[in-house]
Amino acid sequence: MINRYTLFGNPVEHSLSPRIHQLFGEQTQRRVEYTATLSSEESFAADVESFRDAGGRGCNITVPFKSQAFELCDTVSEAARIAGACNTIKFLADGTLAGHNTDGSGLLQDLKVTIGFEITGKNVLIIGAGGATRGALFPLLAQQPSRLVIANRTLQRAEQLAKEFADYGEIETFDFEQLAALGDAFDLVLNATSAGLHGETAPVPQAVFTTDSCAYDFSYTRSIENPQTAFLKLAESYGCTNINNGLGMLLEQAADAFFIWEDVRPKTRLIGPQVLANL
Ligand code: ATR
């Protein structure tokens, strides 16, 4: 029997997840089929239910349905509850939907294990105040950085997040002008904006980077000729050499989802950067 999974998103056709899960299936010798399904705000709930009713075992959810997925689930993990978003659903035998969020755990696994960056005691700056930042705040705060700053074009959105997550730790908020005026440097600079989708970057000031900073972009490009995102190019132009795109995070969150469904975690280190870049 083949265990069937799908990814709901919009857009979804360029997703690497079907190939990643195919590699995981081969590596773990599980018979899995993983497809990508275009959905819409109106049809999302019905799409998930019809996939389950047709024998699906679970699904992943990407932009823009993670909050809707959270609302749809009967039970949610702590990570999903705190993020208010689900990227993974397991269809349980009794017909209920169990929601999870593996984005944060995927980010930590990539940062700490693959890249070897220890967050505890470090100064961390996260750019953006949308869904990606929301999902990352609790996992980052749980690592006890010495300082966590959100910078966003719209200051109010950053302030709102800081308020919502106040129980988990202190978060400072700035817009880009204030950040530039501050002049502080950070050990870790994460880009969680959606600017990269349009080949753009937020105006991150030079002063936030030192040559030792770790620059990490949640997004990635699939262009062989132009492999670096606009944010990472900017960081590099400011002398930063520790440059990391979101492919590692994508792989790790997928491995955590696979574990939730299949009870075995694929060995992501066996899937090198070369394989990832050519997926
Ligand atoms: P999602 O939740 O799907 O990530 P979102 O809520 O629209 O999408 O969040 C996108 C984030 O990227 C926001 O922080 C947005 O800044 P605003 O809150 O000011 O809208 C940020 N963003 C998108 N394009 C940007 C750009 N060109 N420059 C700077 N920030 C940008």
Side-chain angles (χ1 to χ4, degrees), residues 69-217:
F70 175 78
E71 298 298 332
L72 191 65
C73 286
D74 299 290
T75 56
V76 292
S77 68
E78 190 194 23
R81 179 179 57 77
I82 293 169
C86 291
N87 78 331
T88 303
I89 298 178
K90 183 173 185 173
F91 303 149
L92 301 184
D94 63 3
T96 58
L97 308 183
H100 299 262
N101 194 318
T102 65
D103 287 333
S105 56
L107 170 67
L108 290 187
Q109 177 79 13
D110 192 37
L111 265 173
K112 293 178 62 168
V113 180
T114 310
I115 298 169
F117 184 91
E118 192 48 66
I119 300 160
T120 309
K122 300 286 172 47
N123 296 323
V124 178
L125 169 64
I126 185 161
I127 311 289
T133 299
R134 177 180 289 278
L137 286 178
F138 177 68
L140 288 172
L141 284 168
Q143 296 297 306
Q144 302 193 302
S146 69
R147 186 179 190 199
L148 182 59
V149 172
I150 304 177
N152 196 45
R153 182 171 61 182
T154 313
L155 179 59
Q156 204 189 354
R157 292 187 77 193
E159 289 171 344
Q160 176 62 31
L161 279 182
K163 211 157 87 187
E164 278 181 47
F165 284 81
D167 284 351
Y168 305 109
E170 195 195 330
I171 301 175
E172 297 168 62
T173 54
F174 301 104
D175 63 25
F176 296 116
E177 272 182 21
Q178 292 169 333
L179 186 66
L182 193 70
D184 290 356
F186 293 84
D187 301 306
L188 175 63
V189 184
L190 301 149
N191 176 40
T193 72
S194 54
L197 292 176
H198 316 288
E200 295 167 8
T201 174
V204 187
Q206 178 161 7
V208 306
F209 297 105
T210 69
T211 47
D212 292 333
S213 300
C214 175
Y216 192 102
D217 199 336

